[in-house]
Amino acid sequence: MKKWLVSIFMIISLISILVACSNNNEGTSGEKNDNENSSDGPVTVNFWHTMTGKNGELIQEMVDRFNSSQTEVEVVATYQGGYDELTTKLQQAIASNTAPDVAVIERAYVEMFAESEVLADLSGFLESSSVISEEDFVEGLMGHSYFNDQLLALPIYRSTPILHVNKTLLEEVGAEVPTNWVELKEVANKLVVKNGDTIERYGLTMPYDTWYPIAMISQSGGQFFNEDKTSVGFVDNGIGQEVFEYLTDLQSTGALYYPPQTDSGSIANQMFIEGKVGLLFQSTGTIGNLQDNVDFDYVTAFLPQNDQYSTPTGGGNFAMLGGSQNKEAAWKFMEWVVSDAGGAQQYVIETGYLPFTTKMAESPEIQELWAAEPNRKVAFEQLQYAEDTNKSTKWPTVMHEFFAAIEAIMYDGEDIKSTLETFKTAAELNLN
Amino acid sequence: MTKHSYVTTFINGVLKIILLFIFLVPFLWMISTSLQTLEETLTVPPTLIPESLQWGNFLEALSSGPFGTYFRNSIIVTFSIMLIQLIIMIPAAYAFAKYDFFGKKFLFSCILIAFMIPGQVTFIPVYLMMADWDLIYTLWPQILPFMTNAFGIFLLRQYIMQIPDELLDAARLDNSSEWKIIWKIVVPMAKPALATIMLFSFVSHWNDYFWPLIMTNTEEVRPLTIGISMLREVEGIANWHIIMAGNVILVVPILLAYIFSAKYILRAFVYSGIK
């Protein structure tokens, strides 16, 4: 029995040694401790983002350009998962005081953080800035930046859905680029090629996402959330019915191909590239990629209007955390990103995201790009119709309910009216 | 052989081949895609045999990030977990199997409960604890929470209970210490169970993505899975050939571990001396 006591004691001491070791290591390997570098050397600013692959490399290049442009601030950029993962991670990090100084937050999640009052108000910084002011930002992209009269986020990589068109196919069937829902239905049906019962070519496709139905709701004069954010009015006023009837009607003739849930964006893009579909609703973020891969006449256009043109926006916003110890240094980085030609402007040129300040849009570099690739300009012009109607702290939960409704209607052929009613009940439960 | 048994053997064989095929195809697909060009991965109907082997995909996948660091971290984390688990699990299982002591039932039910609580329930308190100890910039949060393995203790206990007490008593008569009994008798006899537990432990921690992503804040301490996930394009066209090359790199150590431990399990069965 005594021997057992000894071995238990040994295990406990082993554990404590391990823990102690790691604490010591932390000083040398944990270069991310903000407070350590206050007096000499550059101030470290931690920046969390959501970009992987080529876009992730471009973000890193942007940060490297900033770091080599000056010696006072050293930005450390870290990928923290996709938008949802970064949000989860940030919530925990804030609770445990390990949050970064600056983070990219998906624009629809900003309000959730705003409500918890954990983001820093940027208006003071902007007022005292000599290179950028609030008025410089494109209005259509600021829908998710102001909360309770505070400016809590700035755009960084933002996109909108637009219509991508295979002009070659359209000419083949003698059709023009559709500008409204009536024309869209006509053109999409014209594009369909059937071989017996199998459809070889579809008219239109779009990823499985809430973005596109939301766009269509506001194109029909509706809003996703009511003004007071207690309900989803588009169910009662029949607009939801109209949108989904239109979509299922297209689907029934093969004019709309609704791709499977998993990887729907990639599938839709690939079908478009292969000419298996003539029209594609998809993010502006894909323009660069599509342009490189298609071998037909490829153009972009506004999303077709119903009663009016309208589009939601998406992508990442830039926010400073209220708990940051290095706010001045963090702002220095943010200011550089939004105003310098080597900052987000270069990133925008390389990726296909939207220029978000008027200065950026008017810059010779962007003007030159637009002259060479007019497809990029269309997306920017569409911003005048940008309208975000899904602003609510409850959006992340309501979003899942809405996904379930889309799924029931588009995949399982459930009755539109009753599905939307069910959705409304679930949404109201969350909202009130 | 009778006619009947020929038929059953035949059906057996066919079923096995079908099963093998079901499990093998995704693997072959992954390897094939990892050796194609992007254009080839997009063609319909898809090709299983690449036109020309694109070994460069692997280089491209490896050069897209600090893969040396990721690899090192994965190795350190998985092997530390396995080692620490062994150190804790074997004496614990032995004590539960062969000793009677006060509170044994209670302690054992605690272990069973620990084994039933899903990680999602505990990850926020664990994160806060790790953050409190300033550990989320190190490899520790990927190791510390997994030092014990409740399932392993349970499985090993069942296994050790089968070892006849007479064998242990005989050793005690020869003045063997309890440690010696554990290392010389119990461990060799429990090899199959140990190999199984270690393989499970290796695969699950080698493949873990969410935990290291949540529990660490810097690239320097993150494992291979996160490196591979960063090959994914955010918007636009997925570079399937590069992603699959990354996945092949990720899977190879698991295959090696499996081949190694499968041999070990067989050998342990042959030499175990019981049954």
Side-chain angles (χ1 to χ4, degrees):
Chain A
M1 206 56 200
K2 263 184 191 166
K3 278 184 181 168
W4 275 106
L5 277 175
V6 171
S7 47
I8 288 170
F9 175 74
M10 278 175 65
I11 290 171
I12 292 172
S13 47
L14 176 75
I15 295 168
S16 34
I17 290 167
L18 290 175
V19 173
C21 275
S22 57
N23 273 329
N24 292 338
N25 288 347
E26 202 267 325
T28 49
S29 67
E31 60 277 82
K32 304 297 153 343
N33 237 348
D34 317 82
N35 303 331
E36 279 175 10
N37 38 32
S38 48
S39 53
D40 45 2
V43 181
T44 303
V45 166
N46 285 304
F47 167 47
W48 287 4
H49 65 85
T50 58
M51 284 295 169
T52 58
K54 192 165 163 257
N55 285 356
E57 283 165 31
L58 293 171
I59 283 276
Q60 188 56 50
E61 282 169 23
M62 179 179 89
V63 169
D64 291 343
R65 284 196 296 273
F66 173 74
N67 286 338
S68 55
S69 74
Q70 44 73 53
T71 52
E72 290 162 42
V73 184
E74 173 85 18
V75 174
V76 178
T78 317
Y79 163 71
Q80 297 288 6
Y83 290 127
D84 289 349
E85 285 163 340
L86 185 135
T87 305
T88 314
K89 174 98 210 201
L90 201 54
Q91 285 171 319
Q92 285 182 50
I94 290 166
S96 61
N97 278 325
T98 56
D101 305 286
V102 181
V104 172
I105 302 172
E106 210 278 336
R107 48 98 221 183
Y109 293 158
V110 174
E111 183 152 11
M112 200 168 71
F113 287 102
E115 193 84 348
S116 336
E117 297 177 349
V118 294
L119 302 178
D121 188 356
L122 299 171
S123 31
F125 289 111
L126 272 171
E127 270 162 33
S128 57
S129 169
S130 57
V131 286
I132 190 107
S133 71
E134 261 181 79
E135 292 72 45
D136 290 333
F137 289 92
V138 174
E139 210 192 320
L141 292 174
M142 297 298 277
H144 284 277
S145 291
Y146 293 98
F147 296 96
N148 309 324
D149 300 323
Q150 288 184 311
L151 176 60
L152 298 179
L154 297 173
I156 173 166
Y157 35 82
R158 299 297 300 276
S159 50
T160 67
I162 48 167
L163 176 64
H164 304 258
V165 183
N166 181 336
K167 197 76 188 295
T168 311
L169 275 188
L170 256 63
E171 273 161 16
E172 215 176 281
V173 298
E176 291 290 319
V177 176
T179 58
N180 59 46
W181 285 22
V182 179
E183 290 171 20
L184 177 65
K185 186 180 237 174
E186 208 180 281
V187 177
N189 275 304
K190 258 190 189 168
L191 283 165
V192 177
V193 175
K194 280 186 183 165
N195 182 7
D197 276 344
T198 54
I199 298 171
E200 286 183 342
R201 190 174 73 201
Y202 294 86
L204 166 75
T205 190
M206 63 183 80
Y208 163 69
D209 201 288
T210 56
W211 232 20
Y212 309 96
I214 289 176
M216 295 175 81
I217 288 164
S218 49
Q219 281 157 13
S220 313
Q223 299 247 312
F224 190 83
F225 287 122
N226 295 2
E227 285 301 330
D228 57 359
K229 291 172 193 166
T230 53
S231 182
V232 283
F234 72 90
V235 174
D236 290 332
N237 61 21
I239 288 176
Q241 180 87 12
E242 185 185 357
V243 167
F244 283 104
E245 260 172 19
Y246 182 81
L247 286 175
T248 46
D249 186 27
L250 286 180
Q251 200 179 18
S252 67
T253 58
L256 170 69
Y257 173 72
Y258 207 70
Q261 288 173 19
T262 314
D263 223 13
S264 65
S266 264
I267 293 169
N269 293 349
Q270 280 169 27
M271 289 192 54
F272 183 73
I273 291 170
E274 288 162 25
K276 290 197 149 69
V277 65
L279 303 164
L280 168 71
F281 284 3
Q282 176 61 288
S283 164
T284 45
T286 60
I287 295 178
N289 247 319
L290 292 179
Q291 213 136 15
D292 292 344
N293 283 292
V294 298
D295 50 8
F296 49 77
D297 187 9
Y298 161 58
V299 296
T300 57
F302 288 4
L303 291 176
Q305 63 169 334
N306 189 18
D307 299 333
Q308 63 193 38
Y309 282 116
S310 183
T311 176
T313 64
N317 264 347
F318 212 17
M320 192 194 295
L321 275 298
S324 164
Q325 304 287 317
N326 308 308
K327 288 208 179 68
E328 288 299 326
W331 172 249
K332 210 166 173 224
F333 170 58
M334 292 178 78
E335 184 183 47
W336 180 87
V337 168
V338 294
S339 64
D340 197 275
Q345 180 177 313
Q346 186 58 33
Y347 185 70
V348 160
I349 291 171
E350 287 162 332
T351 54
Y353 284 100
L354 293 165
F356 51 77
T357 64
T358 39
K359 274 185 189 162
M360 202 185 277
E362 286 158 7
S363 71
E365 291 90 346
I366 297 275
Q367 290 295 330
E368 206 174 290
L369 175 79
W370 283 351
E373 297 176 21
N375 284 345
R376 298 263 195 115
K377 197 178 178 188
V378 171
F380 183 77
E381 283 170 347
Q382 194 187 230
L383 279 180
Q384 58 183 301
Y385 303 111
E387 187 187 11
D388 289 309
T389 63
N390 59 336
K391 271 167 63 178
S392 160
T393 49
K394 303 290 169 43
W395 163 247
T397 29
V398 175
M399 176 184 83
H400 290 295
E401 302 291 346
F402 193 45
F403 263 120
I406 295 174
E407 209 177 299
I409 295 169
M410 300 306 291
Y411 294 124
D412 304 334
E414 302 271 344
D415 176 60
I416 296 172
K417 199 170 174 6
S418 61
T419 308
L420 288 179
E421 287 296 336
T422 316
F423 161 66
K424 187 187 147 199
T425 317
E428 282 177 355
L429 265 177
N430 278 304
L431 289 167
N432 296 308
Chain B
M1 265 197 207
T2 61
K3 205 176 174 189
H4 177 74
S5 74
Y6 272 126
V7 173
T8 41
T9 319
F10 178 75
I11 293 175
N12 245 326
V14 170
L15 285 178
K16 274 179 195 158
I17 288 172
I18 291 173
L19 264 178
L20 183 73
F21 208 67
I22 291 171
F23 286 100
L24 213 58
V25 163
F27 266 97
L28 293 178
W29 196 284
M30 174 179 76
I31 293 167
S32 150
T33 309
S34 74
L35 291 168
Q36 295 177 358
T37 59
L38 178 62
E39 289 75 51
E40 208 176 347
T41 63
L42 299 179
T43 50
V44 178
T47 48
L48 196 58
I49 295 162
E51 253 175 58
S52 62
L53 301 178
Q54 304 291 322
W55 297 106
N57 291 349
F58 288 89
L59 281 181
E60 196 172 322
L62 286 174
S63 63
S64 69
F67 270 79
T69 314
Y70 293 143
F71 212 86
R72 188 201 66 198
N73 293 338
S74 276
I75 298 269
I76 294 178
V77 167
T78 2
F79 284 93
S80 309
I81 289 176
M82 280 166 57
L83 190 74
I84 299 175
Q85 279 187 355
L86 277 181
I87 295 173
I88 294 178
M89 196 170 62
I90 297 172
Y94 180 63
F96 279 124
K98 296 292 177 193
Y99 276 84
D100 272 317
F101 51 88
F102 174 74
K104 178 177 162 181
K105 272 197 172 152
F106 172 74
L107 285 176
F108 193 65
S109 44
C110 285
I111 286 179
L112 289 183
I113 288 168
F115 159 44
M116 283 176 238
I117 292 175
Q120 286 86 339
V121 179
T122 53
F123 88 80
I124 290 182
V126 172
Y127 182 88
L128 295 178
M129 201 157 84
M130 295 296 156
D132 243 19
W133 296 347
D134 264 352
L135 291 184
I136 55 173
Y137 308 103
T138 67
L139 291 169
W140 291 112
Q142 297 172 63
I143 300 171
L144 290 180
F146 304 107
M147 288 196 314
T148 60
N149 178 346
F151 167 71
I153 294 177
F154 173 73
L155 196 77
L156 203 58
R157 170 184 170 267
Q158 302 307 105
Y159 210 85
I160 294 174
M161 276 164 71
Q162 291 176 15
I163 298 175
D165 285 336
E166 291 79 11
L167 214 59
L168 305 178
D169 287 338
R172 283 187 192 113
L173 280 177
D174 290 342
N175 273 334
S176 265
S177 72
E178 290 298 308
W179 279 115
K180 221 169 175 185
I181 293 175
I182 291 182
W183 297 118
K184 296 276 167 168
I185 300 172
V186 174
V187 169
M189 282 184 154
K191 260 185 194 165
L194 282 173
T196 316
I197 296 163
M198 288 299 102
L199 185 68
F200 278 155
S201 179
F202 178 80
V203 172
S204 72
H205 294 292
W206 184 267
N207 280 339
D208 207 359
Y209 166 76
F210 187 68
W211 190 270
L213 180 70
I214 294 294
M215 290 294 154
T216 57
N217 272 355
T218 55
E219 292 303 339
E220 294 79 47
V221 293
R222 287 183 167 171
L224 205 50
T225 37
I226 295 181
I228 302 294
S229 82
M230 288 179 71
L231 298 171
R232 237 172 27 202
E233 219 37 74
V234 179
E235 272 175 301
I237 295 117
N239 285 319
W240 287 120
H241 56 316
I242 307 295
I243 297 175
M244 288 305 161
N247 281 324
V248 171
I249 296 168
L250 186 68
V251 159
V252 164
I254 294 181
L255 286 181
L256 289 179
Y258 178 72
I259 292 166
F260 176 74
S261 61
K263 263 163 109 184
Y264 213 57
I265 290 171
L266 278 181
R267 210 184 296 155
F269 266 115
V270 175
Y271 295 130
S272 63
I274 33 175
K275 283 172 200 166

